[in-house]
Amino acid sequence: MSPMFSHVMVGAKDLEVLARFYDAVLLPLGLERGPDSVAGPRGICYRAPGTRHPTFDVQEPYDGSPASHGNGSMVAFMAPDRAAVDAAHAAALANGGRDEGAPGPRTRYAPDYYGAYMRDPEGNKLHVVHRGR
């Protein structure tokens, strides 16, 4: 079965700041940083080791206008365990991110759901979740 997504992208005003932020948050979740963008504006991507897609891309907007975050938009990343959720949330806050919901159970979603919410330094909303079984 093919993955549902090819890629998810957020815009970057300051790519270096976001690269430090996402390296700190995503690399400990087991993702790797892929090659920098070679087509179009400057950007970086993250993906599971040994895969090409799907990717999470952080890139300067193609149209040259300033990047902005969307209200109601969010990207969620799977974590291998609860400790990884806690670590990702802490890394986000230590690297210029904002808290949008501390790590903890979210039983309204499922009995084994454990997650945290944060925003990157440019306001993009992220969620890191461990789903137990």
Side-chain angles (χ1 to χ4, degrees):
M1 176 183 227
S2 296
M4 182 177 194
F5 298 103
S6 165
H7 61 282
V8 174
M9 183 179 295
V10 296
K13 294 177 193 170
D14 188 331
L15 189 59
E16 286 73 27
V17 167
L18 291 186
R20 282 191 302 277
F21 176 87
Y22 284 109
D23 281 353
V25 173
L26 299 181
L27 297 179
L29 294 178
L31 298 178
E32 67 180 12
R33 191 161 155 187
D36 292 351
S37 176
V38 292
R42 293 181 332 126
I44 55 176
C45 78
Y46 298 85
R47 61 187 178 203
T51 66
R52 233 179 112 199
H53 296 285
T55 61
F56 174 70
D57 302 327
V58 181
Q59 193 165 11
E60 295 170 342
Y62 278 90
D63 67 4
S65 297
S68 64
H69 60 275
N71 186 27
S73 300
M74 179 177 69
V75 178
F77 295 93
M78 294 291 289
D81 53 38
R82 288 179 173 208
V85 173
D86 296 345
H89 186 263
L93 300 185
N95 286 277
R98 287 191 332 254
D99 176 42
E100 285 283 320
R106 302 293 197 279
T107 55
R108 68 184 175 272
Y109 302 137
D112 61 350
Y113 200 103
Y114 185 89
Y117 297 88
M118 62 223 70
R119 290 196 184 263
D120 74 14
E122 294 188 5
N124 297 297
K125 190 171 183 179
L126 307 174
H127 178 48
V128 178
V129 58
H130 174 67
R131 295 179 178 259
R133 297 182 212 228

